[in-house]
Amino acid sequence: MHITADKGRCVGAAQCVLAAPAVFDQDEQGLVAPVTVDPAGADWPAVRQAVHLCPSSAIRIDEE
Ligand code: SF4
């Protein structure tokens, strides 16, 4: 799995951080700042949940 997080779309809702705190953080402006863009398999369900919850479709994942 590979994550692409688009700060240009992010509205700082922090849903991704709440869903997958091991993978997503926020920068000083409150915008998405991934801790890693290649998360461990154990975090994949949480990452998928973050993608589902993000209100601005700022997170994309490549499952391959
Ligand atoms: S959930 Fe979406 S809008 Fe909110 S901080 Fe994460 S990427 Fe940004």
Side-chain angles (χ1 to χ4, degrees):
M1 174 187 281
H2 184 78
I3 297 171
T4 304
D6 183 352
K7 288 194 183 197
R9 296 185 66 101
C10 177
V11 296
Q15 295 301 312
C16 55
V17 181
L18 294 172
V23 178
F24 296 103
D25 199 354
Q26 290 172 285
D27 67 14
E28 62 280 355
Q29 296 178 313
L31 301 179
V32 63
V35 176
T36 174
V37 292
D38 297 296
D43 289 323
W44 290 5
V47 172
R48 294 188 187 106
Q49 180 74 353
V51 171
H52 179 69
L53 290 174
C54 176
S56 61
S57 301
I59 307 166
R60 296 178 187 281
I61 52 174
D62 180 348
E63 294 271 4
E64 293 182 17

